[in-house]
Amino acid sequence: MALFLNTNKLNYWIPKLISEAQSELILIVPYIKVSQKIFAALQQTDEKGVDITLIYRENKLSESEKSKLTSFQNLSLLHHPNIHCKCYYNGDLLILGSMNLYEYSEKNNREMGVLLHQKRMEDLGEAFNGWESDSKTIFDDAIIEIKEIINGAQIEKLSDKGKAKNFKIEIIKTDEELEIERCERFNRYFLNKKFKAIEETENNWVSKCENYFDKVDVLIENNRISVRFNLPENELKGLYHKWMLSYQEFEFPAIKYYWNYHTSNLFVYRDYQSCNWDHLGIGKEYHQKLITGINNIISKYRILTGK
């Protein structure tokens, strides 16, 4: 649920959004003359190592303001000839409104805006208990516009982080782009088992390997693996019946699995009780455990079907 912001609330939430950025921050404002409060928030964020991208309107930034902003080590400064929007985004909180980063606006203008949040609003404190996260579609649409503005802008100063990442900004990657990157990582470790990014259902992207084994597809989602047996229904019923005779949720090391009905996918999850998955990172050991878990499922399938 969006939160309406008047001038006072904008003066509270804009510096809060800036200072609470964890990895990246995007600010799109045509006019800039930062107050001490905003400067302090930017300074705090810069000192945390957050990668800041600031886009302003071409020819609308004084040399003194530009000097202050370019003093931040982790700030990339760009200009655009046509922007008039005001957008503040840290990967979680998004503010759209009328207020520039302008001290006069903070003190004198009547401003309006909205705060959007990708998590439950109650995460921000008791005042927001019961408030639900805002529509993913809104964030997706906003990200498309942000990307177009950045593409149309000119770089004045690129931070060291920006140079190192070839100006890649993680918080404006689409689900499709993120899934393609995951597929590339899976394909490095799964070798001949090749995954591709597919939109399994609307706005739900997964990494899918068709024919991981003959007549078996594997789909990797954020927190689980789906195994799909592509068999005629009578064969599926027979397989399911045999499987249930020896079914054990924790049958294999490091994973647990569920198969609720013969026509549904078999779902594999990481078992945190028998394996400290959080300490594995996302390198070779992590992927080898995924591969072993999937292969154990495939082995049981082969034994029960004689394939």
Side-chain angles (χ1 to χ4, degrees):
M1 180 185 291
L3 178 67
F4 173 78
L5 305 176
N6 60 15
T7 304
N8 288 337
K9 289 180 179 178
L10 282 164
N11 283 331
Y12 172 78
W13 279 104
I14 289 174
K16 184 176 177 66
L17 179 152
I18 291 170
S19 60
E20 291 192 354
Q22 297 300 309
S23 60
E24 295 174 333
L25 172 67
I26 297 172
L27 307 172
I28 303 175
V29 286
Y31 308 110
I32 303 171
K33 186 177 181 181
V34 295
S35 64
Q36 287 186 339
K37 187 175 184 180
I38 293 295
F39 186 85
L42 286 169
Q43 189 172 42
Q44 177 185 347
T45 303
D46 181 65
E47 289 172 354
K48 287 193 302 183
V50 172
D51 204 10
I52 305 167
T53 301
L54 195 158
I55 305 102
Y56 72 95
R57 186 162 180 149
E58 187 177 25
N59 299 322
K60 298 298 180 181
L61 184 65
S62 69
E63 288 302 318
S64 60
E65 285 299 306
K66 188 180 295 186
S67 177
K68 282 196 290 186
L69 294 170
T70 54
S71 69
F72 293 125
Q73 181 178 353
N74 298 302
L75 186 142
S76 295
L77 186 65
L78 297 82
H79 65 253
H80 190 288
N82 300 319
I83 61 163
H84 194 262
C85 59
K86 293 84 178 175
C87 172
Y88 308 83
Y89 182 49
N90 66 8
D92 184 18
L93 294 171
L94 171 67
I95 291 176
L96 303 171
S98 61
M99 184 178 280
N100 289 290
L101 285 179
Y102 216 84
E103 188 171 21
Y104 182 89
S105 300
E106 295 177 19
K107 295 179 178 179
N108 299 289
N109 288 352
R110 299 296 297 264
E111 307 280 358
M112 291 186 187
V114 291
L115 170 70
L116 301 162
H117 194 275
Q118 295 208 76
K119 299 176 183 176
R120 290 178 62 87
M121 291 294 288
E122 62 193 37
D123 297 339
L124 298 178
E126 293 183 5
F128 299 99
N129 283 346
W131 287 52
E132 296 294 330
S133 59
D134 292 292
S135 167
K136 184 177 181 300
T137 302
I138 296 175
F139 279 89
D140 289 344
D141 290 345
I143 283 170
I144 290 171
E145 186 66 18
I146 290 169
K147 290 176 75 169
E148 289 191 4
I149 289 171
I150 291 174
N151 286 343
Q154 299 295 317
I155 295 173
E156 288 193 40
K157 178 242 180 184
L158 196 58
S159 70
D160 290 341
K161 282 190 174 183
K163 293 175 185 175
K165 297 190 301 182
N166 293 321
F167 202 73
K168 291 181 181 178
I169 306 175
E170 297 295 324
I171 61 174
I172 57 171
K173 287 182 177 177
T174 64
D175 289 345
E176 181 180 9
E177 289 170 327
L178 292 170
E179 202 61 50
I180 289 171
E181 288 185 357
R182 279 191 284 266
C183 281
E184 291 171 351
R185 187 176 75 244
F186 292 141
N187 290 338
R188 286 199 300 271
Y189 292 101
F190 281 77
L191 300 179
N192 63 308
K193 311 294 187 182
K194 295 303 179 185
F195 289 84
K196 59 183 178 181
I198 66 162
E199 193 174 17
E200 178 73 353
T201 56
E202 187 175 3
N203 294 323
N204 178 37
W205 287 86
V206 301
S207 296
K208 181 178 182 180
C209 178
E210 295 180 343
N211 262 24
Y212 188 98
F213 182 76
D214 195 29
K215 298 183 180 179
V216 181
D217 297 339
V218 171
L219 299 85
I220 302 181
E221 304 173 59
N222 281 331
N223 64 342
R224 71 181 183 185
I225 298 168
S226 297
V227 180
R228 181 176 297 163
F229 303 114
N230 299 311
L231 299 172
E233 181 152 354
N234 63 323
E235 291 185 37
L236 263 178
K237 281 185 177 180
L239 172 62
Y240 181 79
H241 176 72
K242 290 179 182 179
W243 202 297
M244 289 303 106
L245 293 176
S246 60
Y247 172 78
Q248 295 179 46
E249 178 184 341
F250 298 96
E251 185 173 350
F252 304 117
I255 65 167
K256 55 184 178 180
Y257 73 89
Y258 304 96
W259 194 10
N260 297 323
Y261 193 63
H262 74 277
T263 56
S264 69
N265 291 348
L266 183 154
F267 296 115
V268 179
Y269 296 86
R270 290 166 288 185
D271 177 19
Y272 288 91
Q273 294 183 356
S274 65
C275 176
N276 196 342
W277 284 92
D278 289 337
H279 284 219
L280 295 180
I282 54 171
K284 182 177 180 180
E285 188 177 0
Y286 170 85
H287 287 89
Q288 190 56 55
K289 285 194 179 295
L290 289 184
I291 293 167
T292 300
I294 295 169
N295 288 346
N296 283 331
I297 297 293
I298 299 294
S299 294
K300 181 163 184 172
Y301 164 79
R302 296 190 66 182
I303 290 169
L304 296 179
T305 59
K307 295 184 184 295

